[in-house]
Amino acid sequence: MIRLTVPAIGDDEVDAVERVLRSGMLVHGAEGEAFEKELAAYLGCADVVTVSSGTAALHLALLALDVGPGDAVLVPDFTFPATANAVVAAGARPVFADVDPTTYNVTPATLRAAAVAFGGPGRLRAVVPVHEFGAPADMAGINALAAELGLAVVEDAACAFGTLAGDVHAGLAGDVGCFSFHPRKALTTGEGGALVAKDPGVLRRLRRLRNHGIEPSPAGLRFVEAGLNYRLTDFQSALGRVQLAKFDGYLEARAELQRAYREALALLPIAFPADAPGHAWQTFMVVLADGVDRAGVIAGLRSRGVEANLGAQCLHALDAFRELLPADCARLAGNTAERLYERGLALPLYPGLTQSDVAVVARALGETLGAAA
Ligand SMILES: *Cc1c(COP(=O)(O)O)cnc(C)c1O
């Protein structure tokens, strides 16, 4: 079976984790600090705060910006649900914005439309653009809209480590940026995540919220606010350090594979994602034509030894949000996010995938669509 994704774990990764396990220092050790420094050097920023997941990063970002009860937050209608779950966990209310049909990202126009349609209750306080599948969101336009509307900007770059958004890394354009290191992402620590922030005060707050609300002081530990435990372990950091050293190679391999797919699939009746400069290609999702039975396509691919899946969820179509926000969800019926949710097909993409695997996927998809037509 050609898998949708396989994390790149070799002997170096195993050795690094084993070394930490044998050291007896599983948390609060030197690996964690070193990983944060190396991430900051890679991204080109002063400081990075690692956390236990991308969802933890999003939750802390909202808490550190004092987004909470009575507040509303613009999020994409097409994303992994954690983007909106974190808003709910912070006590605020998500407001869904539609996405562009080829970048799969929110745009200044779709965000403005959602802000205009939003009639409360709650006060719009923040926007959380997602760089979906590693595609850079239009951060210049989104920052301009946020400034006009008085919103904080939290970038959900969970699947966009390595993405360039304009002339900076995704995550560095807004007030706070969030990354995930889940095995489904391009760089993995098992579970894990990281945060970057413009304001040193916000960074300091993120650091202490991650660690029970503790500020170190000469007199000992001070518990200055009700924080959480969202720390990354040292063996996860050790794994991340090995992955980071190879990361540019992973990015190149992904870019090459997506180009190979475009050639191999050129004659099929599918729509391709926009080939944006700076894209990190965490996922390669094509869009099937209307009327094609996607479940049948996924089953047909599986029977030919190829794993495929839907790309991301449409939040307004999920039980969790239909129950929470029935009027909003009803209003969004039939939008682009819903179409991408129903028609999107994510194909295998990971650095160990070969050109001949791409040819196998292309033949299997051609046969399956031929059979489905
Ligand atoms: C993966 C992902 C998350 C969640 O990250 P975890 O580390 O799994 O918690 C959030 N948002 C987006 C857009 C993602 O792709």
Side-chain angles (χ1 to χ4, degrees), residues 141-309:
I142 291 169
N143 280 338
L145 179 73
E148 180 191 329
L149 301 180
L151 308 178
V153 180
V154 174
E155 291 176 74
D156 182 345
C159 50
F161 186 77
T163 294
L164 293 172
D167 51 9
V168 295
H169 274 276
L172 299 185
D175 295 302
V176 181
C178 305
F179 301 100
S180 164
F181 303 135
H182 183 269
R184 186 77 180 79
K185 319 298 184 185
L187 184 152
T188 188
T189 58
E191 300 285 359
L195 285 147
V196 293
K198 280 220 170 74
D199 182 298
V202 170
L203 261 170
R204 182 168 166 196
R205 184 117 189 260
L206 290 168
R207 208 170 269 292
R208 80 178 184 220
L209 281 168
R210 165 186 74 169
N211 188 28
H212 306 292
I214 294 172
E215 286 274 357
S217 83
L221 300 182
R222 291 172 53 229
F223 288 79
V224 299
E225 67 177 319
L228 295 152
N229 176 359
Y230 280 167
R231 295 188 308 263
L232 195 66
T233 66
D234 262 43
F235 48 94
Q236 289 170 306
S237 291
L239 174 53
R241 292 181 69 195
V242 177
Q243 295 252 304
L244 185 60
K246 304 179 190 172
F247 189 69
D248 281 333
Y250 297 165
L251 278 183
E252 274 170 40
R254 287 173 175 276
E256 204 163 301
L257 287 163
Q258 74 90 18
R259 282 193 292 272
Y261 268 133
R262 284 174 198 277
E263 255 177 56
L265 305 176
L267 298 178
L268 298 184
I270 55 176
F272 290 110
D275 190 359
H279 202 311
W281 298 108
Q282 179 260 342
T283 289
F284 189 72
M285 187 191 91
V286 299
V287 182
L288 300 174
D290 289 330
V292 175
D293 165 23
R294 183 180 57 188
V297 171
I298 291 173
L301 288 172
R302 178 167 289 276
S303 74
R304 289 168 173 83
V306 175
E307 184 183 31
N309 205 347

Side-chain angles (χ1 to χ4, degrees), residues 55-66:
T55 306
L58 288 162
H59 189 200
L60 285 195
L62 295 166
L63 295 183
L65 295 170
D66 292 312

